[in-house]
Amino acid sequence: IAASISYDDSKVIAEMEECILDTGKYFKKHCEHYEARGVKNSDNIDNIRWLTLVDVLVHHGYVCELNWKCGKEGFVYFIKKTLLVQTEKLPVTQEWLNDEGDITEWCHILDNKWQAQGMCVAAIEIEGGSYIIFPYQTVALSFLQDAAGRIGRRIYKC
């Protein structure tokens, strides 16, 4: 999943491998990240690895994490900072978005705007009040969905 979302970024893959090979050690090394998410111990290895996936992808700019109450200015700011929006020159404009809308509505608007480029806004589901969103190739999304489903997780078209 990390390799697909990051388009085989070696830094992302190396960090995920470090976590997977010794999750307990990785947890201790990065405990402040987990504590900020309310995770106090490394008992749930699968959860630690899933949160690591999110944190690594956020850190490297492939996904953005938004609070569910995020306004449209914040939404536009953070989605524009994702690497794929920049490299693929995917358009994002505040004027397209309704002031009273929400993240889900704005993602649907971007899906429509990006459809001709074969892109959509996808999301990684985690517990809590955050949206983890990222631009992704629409035709390849089913691969991510299947991979996440096999480990009891969810990636979906936002």
Side-chain angles (χ1 to χ4, degrees):
I1 293 171
S4 293
I5 293 174
S6 73
Y7 295 87
D8 295 318
D9 183 319
S10 60
K11 293 177 184 175
V12 169
I13 294 167
E15 195 159 348
M16 288 306 304
E17 285 176 348
E18 179 186 354
C19 175
I20 290 167
L21 291 173
D22 192 341
T23 305
K25 181 179 176 183
Y26 189 90
F27 177 85
K28 288 177 187 170
K29 183 177 175 182
H30 300 280
C31 62
E32 70 280 354
H33 295 290
Y34 303 105
E35 288 175 4
R37 293 189 180 279
V39 178
K40 299 185 187 324
N41 61 56
S42 61
D43 292 346
N44 187 336
I45 290 173
D46 293 336
N47 193 44
I48 298 301
R49 290 175 177 169
W50 192 248
L51 293 174
T52 299
L53 170 73
V54 169
D55 287 341
V56 168
L57 291 171
V58 168
H59 175 76
H60 290 281
Y62 292 99
V63 306
C64 60
E65 182 170 5
L66 306 172
N67 183 289
W68 69 273
K69 299 183 288 186
C70 182
K72 83 173 185 178
E73 293 82 13
F75 174 85
V76 169
Y77 174 80
F78 286 108
I79 196 78
K80 277 185 167 183
K81 291 185 80 63
T82 60
L83 289 175
L84 210 57
V85 165
Q86 295 173 17
T87 59
E88 296 295 320
K89 297 182 180 19
L90 297 170
V92 180
T93 302
Q94 283 189 35
E95 290 76 31
W96 296 340
L97 311 178
N98 180 351
D99 289 336
E100 290 77 37
D102 62 16
I103 292 170
T104 303
E105 178 185 324
W106 300 328
C107 288
H108 290 299
I109 291 168
L110 292 183
D111 285 345
N112 290 331
K113 298 291 186 179
W114 296 350
Q115 187 174 17
Q117 291 171 272
M119 302 297 288
C120 67
V121 181
I124 300 171
E125 186 174 87
I126 64 170
E127 293 179 15
S130 294
Y131 281 85
I132 312 300
I133 62 171
F134 59 102
Y136 201 69
Q137 298 171 347
T138 306
V139 298
L141 185 58
S142 63
F143 168 80
L144 289 180
Q145 292 170 314
D146 292 342
R150 284 193 301 275
I151 58 172
R153 300 296 176 162
R154 184 170 174 240
I155 295 176
Y156 58 98
K157 187 172 178 181
C158 190

